[in-house]
């Protein structure tokens, strides 16, 4: 059975940092493409960063240079290091895993972790 569990969310001031982690059971991020997505209140869910098994990471433009997606050597955990956080980074962050080449919507998803950035 596949399970993804996010952790590391919380409240932080503008300019602060947080590191999110996504612990996977039943899949490994060395075999599956992993991604971080977020949803702010009243807005659609959007991709933040994705990591292919054999290619480089993808970041949405607004987080480039501030966020870093990575996986541990065993492929069991996907991380998202978030620096220089902005108000607009607030939202529920979700982790997902999918067979590379397929849409993330068809993959496995975690329950999400809340990130709140305040002034």
């Amino acid at each position: 059975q596949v399970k993804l569990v996010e952790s590391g969310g919380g409240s932080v001031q503008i300019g602060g940092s947080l590191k999110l982690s996504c612990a996977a059971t039943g899949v490994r991020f060395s075999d599956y493409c992993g991604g971080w997505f977020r949803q702010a209140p009243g807005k659609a869910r959007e991709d933040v960063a994705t990591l292919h098994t054999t290619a480089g990471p993808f970041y949405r433009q607004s987080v480039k240079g501030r966020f870093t997606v990575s996986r541990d050597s065993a492929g069991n955990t996907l991380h998202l290091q978030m620096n220089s956080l902005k108000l607009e980074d607030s939202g529920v962050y979700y982790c997902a895993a999918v067979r590379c080449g397929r849409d993330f919507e068809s993959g496995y998803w975690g329950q999400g972790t809340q990130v709140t950035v305040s002034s």
Side-chain angles (χ1 to χ4, degrees):
Q1 184 177 357
V2 177
K3 188 174 183 180
L4 303 179
V5 179
E6 301 96 337
S7 62
S11 297
V12 65
Q13 291 190 318
I14 292 173
S17 297
L18 284 174
K19 185 174 184 178
L20 306 183
S21 296
C22 174
T25 53
V27 295
R28 292 198 305 175
F29 291 109
S30 50
D31 301 322
Y32 281 67
C33 281
W36 287 98
F37 299 76
R38 68 187 179 194
Q39 187 167 22
K43 294 188 177 181
R45 188 167 60 191
E46 61 185 19
D47 57 357
V48 176
T50 58
L51 186 61
H52 198 280
T53 54
T54 58
F58 163 84
Y59 299 98
R60 72 180 301 107
Q61 186 64 38
S62 62
V63 307
K64 280 184 180 179
R66 301 187 297 120
F67 289 13
T68 304
V69 62
S70 63
R71 59 176 171 260
D72 68 354
S73 57
N76 295 322
T77 306
L78 190 71
H79 300 287
L80 184 68
Q81 177 68 47
M82 306 186 294
N83 299 327
S84 303
L85 283 161
K86 303 177 180 181
L87 291 174
E88 54 265 38
D89 294 320
S90 295
V92 179
Y93 281 69
Y94 299 90
C95 166
V98 70
R99 285 287 188 187
C100 294
R102 297 183 180 178
D103 195 298
F104 272 98
E105 292 299 327
S106 67
Y108 303 101
W109 289 79
Q111 292 300 305
T113 185
Q114 178 72 46
V115 171
T116 303
V117 184
S118 60
S119 58

